[in-house]
Amino acid sequence: MPKSRIRKKADYTPPQSKQATAIKLNSRSWVAPVMLAMFILGLAWIVLFYVTDGSLPIDALGNWNIVVGFGFIAAGFGVSTQWK
């Protein structure tokens, strides 16, 4: 039986380059200051509540002042998800 011819392959053919799409980055310079402000405000709210024995920041809320402080801290974490 005759020997078949071996096809010659090209060495290496790099894949076709795709056009790079321009990524538009919006200015998010507001995120870090707002995030830090929320963290500090929440911490200050809780500390003020404990230091004044519950008479400040809002006396009518009572122990719910702690929830408000942690709410500000949670909002800071929510804002942090926008940081790039």
Side-chain angles (χ1 to χ4, degrees), residues 42-67 69:
L43 181 64
W45 192 287
I46 294 171
V47 168
L48 186 63
F49 174 72
Y50 278 118
V51 168
T52 61
D53 290 327
S55 62
L56 287 177
I58 300 175
D59 190 28
L61 289 179
N63 286 334
W64 284 97
N65 280 306
I66 298 170
V67 175

Side-chain angles (χ1 to χ4, degrees), residues 28-51:
R28 303 223 179 192
S29 59
W30 59 272
V31 173
V34 171
M35 175 183 66
L36 290 175
M38 295 293 235
F39 288 153
I40 292 170
L41 183 63
L43 181 64
W45 192 287
I46 294 171
V47 168
L48 186 63
F49 174 72
Y50 278 118
V51 168

